[in-house]
Amino acid sequence: FTRLQGPGEAEQLHTQVVTRLRATPVVVSAAATNAVPLQSLNPGRQPIRIEGRTNETTAQILVDPNVASTGYFDTLNVPVLRGRAFAERDSATAAPVAVINQTMAKYWDEVDPVGTRFVVDVPVPPGQPAPPPITVIGVVADFKLYNVDQPTEAQYYVPYTQNGGFAGRLLVRANTDARDLIPAIKQAVFSVDSQTPVEELLTLEELDRLCSGFIGLG
């Protein structure tokens, strides 16, 4: 979605649209995210510190932050290897949580990261609170979010409900030809907000000729 929204409005819009899509008979799963695989984007690298393992004197760890809703990993058929994926209880008022990929989990060496915490290591403006620690709730298998020729980045995902509701893209898995879903997707969006544009409707197969059965919207 490209129309600017306030945090509460954005979260409500994404939630309602995804709910309507999931109720569509041919839809297997749907999710909101900023991370559509195989798009021509560059990873964002953000410094973090792992509680009890790194500090201000150790080498900086750079990871790629992303945002996703419940159903994101199911929609992409990405298995959860340890812990769990996002649930409805991971709301804006709940403690901050994240799901990390296998590559990021390597920073914990042989220790299970589930239940541990990390913090985003960025300068804090005067008078502002430091970012709260984020608890790792799950580890998912690596998959190619960016160019298939690039090494997999260390990545983490936070719920869009804890990120001001800003996700920006939809992922939809269907049991029919993905392009047959275009009218239903537009209807789901316009029934929630007729002023929100629906752009760049593409299957992941069209993005990289590797995947099918999805539509990514921007």
Side-chain angles (χ1 to χ4, degrees):
F1 307 99
T2 56
R3 188 168 72 89
L4 295 178
Q5 320 260 339
E9 185 182 358
E11 178 183 342
Q12 184 180 41
L13 185 145
H14 282 96
T15 299
Q16 291 181 358
V17 171
V18 169
T19 298
R20 281 169 167 75
L21 286 171
R22 289 173 179 170
T24 303
V26 296
V27 170
V28 176
S29 59
T33 184
N34 74 334
V36 174
L38 309 177
Q39 289 198 329
S40 56
L41 301 173
N42 293 317
R45 296 184 176 93
Q46 183 182 72
I48 65 160
R49 286 186 290 108
I50 302 171
E51 285 190 351
R53 302 188 66 81
T54 61
N55 54 46
E56 291 82 357
T57 65
T58 55
Q60 194 175 57
I61 296 175
L62 296 177
V63 298
D64 176 41
N66 297 282
V67 178
S69 72
T70 60
Y72 175 78
F73 301 109
D74 284 342
T75 302
L76 290 176
N77 273 343
V78 174
V80 177
L81 305 178
R82 291 195 290 276
R84 66 174 178 87
F86 299 133
E88 298 300 329
R89 65 180 180 270
D90 301 315
S91 65
T93 58
V97 296
V99 172
I100 68 175
N101 70 349
Q102 286 173 286
T103 296
M104 183 167 168
K106 293 176 182 177
Y107 288 115
W108 278 257
D109 298 322
E110 298 301 318
V111 175
D112 186 352
V114 175
T116 66
R117 305 195 304 181
F118 65 90
V119 293
V120 177
D121 191 17
V122 295
V124 179
Q128 296 296 315
I134 302 171
T135 299
V136 178
I137 59 170
V139 179
V140 295
D142 284 345
F143 65 99
K144 292 296 184 181
L145 186 56
Y146 302 106
N147 192 306
V148 293
D149 297 327
Q150 295 177 348
T152 301
E153 296 277 335
Q155 293 162 339
Y156 77 89
Y157 299 79
V158 297
Y160 80 99
T161 50
Q162 297 183 353
N163 192 59
F166 292 102
R169 300 286 190 269
L170 293 173
L171 284 176
V172 184
R173 176 178 288 278
N175 58 13
T176 185
D177 187 299
R179 287 211 157 267
D180 292 344
L181 271 180
I182 289 176
I185 292 173
K186 289 184 175 181
Q187 175 59 31
V189 175
F190 296 152
S191 65
V192 176
D193 184 351
S194 62
Q195 300 303 309
T196 294
V198 181
E199 304 167 345
E200 300 176 15
L201 285 81
L202 297 170
T203 67
L204 295 192
E205 185 176 26
E206 291 169 338
L207 285 172
D208 205 80
R209 312 301 299 177
L210 293 178
C211 304
S212 62
F214 297 93
I215 288 186
L217 286 80

